[in-house]
């Protein structure tokens, strides 16, 4: 137990938490945007998976930042497809989302075989690039706390710093701009903004596109920093965990950030615990993030029901 506590409070564990949280937070922010517009995006998993493969393949032939942009575009295109089927063809958004997830699972394996010349499991034969880490070693020159700051803040992905900025930008957009008010109004009571001349379907379509783009950035982080390369079904349920973070975070960008950090902590624990407690089955340890997701959703549901009872609505 002492060894576990020393590991948890170390700079290495903190770096691991940020690494595991980044793709979850990107996807959670994407899920938040679409959810607030009234269009629940259950296709985050598939969008991240397609973005992972896109980033890896493009990075073989282009600079890393082009690969990240390609992952963003791939996610955004899937968001546009989702908007087309749901808003134009009136298909159920949940069914469309699951269809995209199923499509992504099969299509990425097929595309991987084409890109690697037959390998259906991994892109190990592709010389893909990585997103660079931010070097803040100059902070070590600060007297006293410099080495500690360097240990905790240096070495994170550029995308990790970007997602922290994105949390602020989304908060500012939602609560300090008229467009954010329109978005929330469309999700809460679409008849009111529609009466004011706001195109409800257009707002929802753009929210799904932005949602997919953010999930795409999460996929880029996963395939170009957390792991270098693509592995079959490498998202491993992170898109669904991100939806749990949206609900646990009370549908607020800051709340989603803290919820994603919580899930990131447990995912990081599932990484380090097999090395500390090798007598515990690895499969049991890897279940931790998903068990926490289920418990978080139960807690969220209980909190909502209790709030409704207090208001006399349930």
């Amino acid at each position: 137990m002492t060894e576990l506590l020393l590991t948890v409070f170390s700079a290495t564990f903190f770096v691991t938490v940020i690494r595991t949280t980044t793709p979850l937070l990107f996807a959670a922010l994407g899920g938040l945007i679409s959810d607030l517009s009234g269009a629940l995006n259950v296709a985050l998993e598939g969008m991240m998976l397609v973005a992972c493969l896109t980033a890896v393949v493009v990075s073989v032939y282009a600079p890393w930042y082009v690969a990240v942009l390609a992952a963003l575009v791939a996610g955004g295109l899937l968001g546009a497809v989702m908007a087309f089927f749901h808003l134009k063809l009136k298909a159920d958004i949940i069914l469309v989302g699951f269809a995209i997830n199923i499509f992504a699972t099969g299509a990425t394996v097929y595309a991987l075989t084409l890109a690697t010349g037959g390998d259906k499991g991994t892109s190990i034969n592709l010389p893909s690039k990585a997103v660079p880490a931010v070097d803040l070693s100059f902070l070590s020159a600060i007297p006293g706390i410099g080495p500690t700051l360097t240990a905790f803040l240096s070495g994170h992905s550029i995308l990790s710093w970007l997602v922290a900025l994105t949390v602020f930008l989304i908060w500012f957009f939602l609560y300090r701009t008229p467009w954010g008010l329109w978005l929330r109004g469309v999700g809460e009571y679409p008849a009111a903004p529609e009466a004011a001349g706001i195109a409800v379907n257009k707002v929802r379509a753009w929210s799904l596109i932005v949602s997919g783009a953010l999930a795409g950035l999460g996929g880029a982080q996963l395939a170009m920093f957390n792991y270098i390369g693509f592995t079959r079904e490498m998202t491993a349920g992170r898109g669904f965990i991100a939806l749990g973070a949206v609900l646990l975070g009370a549908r607020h960008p800051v709340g989603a950030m803290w919820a994603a950090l919580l899930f990131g902590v447990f995912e990081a624990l599932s990484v380090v615990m097999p090395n500390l407690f090798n007598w515990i089955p690895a499969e049991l340890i890897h279940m931790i993030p998903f068990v926490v997701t289920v418990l978080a959703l139960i807690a969220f549901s209980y909190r909502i029901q209790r709030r409704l009872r207090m208001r006399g609505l349930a």
Side-chain angles (χ1 to χ4, degrees):
M1 183 59 70
T2 302
E3 190 175 357
L4 177 61
L5 290 175
L6 290 175
T7 300
V8 167
F9 289 102
S10 67
T12 302
F13 185 77
F14 177 80
V15 171
T16 303
V17 169
I18 299 302
R19 181 190 298 254
T20 56
T21 297
T22 299
L24 286 176
L25 184 50
F26 268 125
L29 292 174
L32 173 69
I33 290 292
S34 61
D35 184 41
L36 289 177
S37 73
L40 182 64
N41 186 358
V42 298
L44 293 172
E45 179 80 5
M47 292 171 174
M48 289 180 71
L49 190 60
V50 170
C52 285
L53 181 60
T54 302
V56 168
V57 173
V58 173
S59 73
V60 175
Y61 307 100
W64 68 268
Y65 50 86
V66 176
V68 171
L69 181 62
L72 181 149
V73 171
L77 286 176
L78 286 177
V81 169
M82 195 172 187
F84 175 76
F85 278 98
H86 172 57
L87 301 173
K88 188 73 174 178
L89 302 183
K90 306 302 179 183
D92 182 84
I93 193 168
I94 303 298
L95 295 180
V96 174
F98 278 111
I100 289 176
N101 288 335
I102 295 170
F103 164 79
T105 302
T108 51
V109 174
Y110 177 69
L112 182 64
T113 61
L114 297 179
T116 59
D119 196 331
K120 297 182 179 181
T122 178
S123 66
I124 192 171
N125 295 324
L126 295 178
S128 56
K129 300 180 182 68
V131 173
V134 178
D135 183 14
L136 299 177
S137 57
F138 63 87
L139 293 176
S140 60
I142 301 175
I145 61 172
T148 302
L149 284 177
T150 301
F152 278 88
L153 299 181
S154 187
H156 298 297
S157 162
I158 289 177
L159 293 178
S160 294
W161 291 99
L162 177 61
V163 77
L165 176 62
T166 304
V167 171
F168 170 76
L169 291 177
I170 290 178
W171 170 84
F172 186 85
F173 168 78
L174 290 175
Y175 300 103
R176 291 295 184 271
T177 69
W179 304 286
L181 180 62
W182 295 351
L183 177 70
R184 290 184 288 125
V186 165
E188 291 292 334
Y189 188 63
E194 190 172 25
I198 298 171
V200 171
N201 280 354
K202 186 176 181 180
V203 172
R204 285 179 174 165
W206 277 108
S207 72
L208 285 170
I209 292 171
V210 171
S211 177
L214 288 170
L217 288 176
Q221 164 76 13
L222 193 61
M224 295 183 66
F225 193 83
N226 291 22
Y227 309 97
I228 308 302
F230 180 83
T231 304
R232 180 175 181 172
E233 298 182 22
M234 67 183 300
T235 47
R238 287 177 175 85
F240 297 109
I241 293 176
L243 282 178
V246 173
L247 299 178
L248 184 62
R251 303 172 76 216
H252 190 281
V254 177
M257 178 189 71
W258 288 115
L261 274 171
L262 175 65
F263 291 130
V265 167
F266 283 101
E267 185 177 344
L269 281 175
S270 72
V271 173
V272 302
M273 283 182 66
N275 299 325
L276 301 176
F277 303 101
N278 52 20
W279 49 273
I280 300 178
E283 293 79 7
L284 190 62
I285 294 175
H286 289 301
M287 284 174 55
I288 291 176
F290 303 99
V291 172
V292 173
T293 302
V294 172
L295 293 177
L297 292 176
I298 293 173
F300 174 79
S301 177
Y302 174 77
R303 185 174 63 184
I304 293 298
Q305 290 298 321
R306 183 180 179 185
R307 186 179 302 170
L308 291 175
R309 284 197 298 269
M310 292 177 65
R311 294 178 180 177
L313 298 177

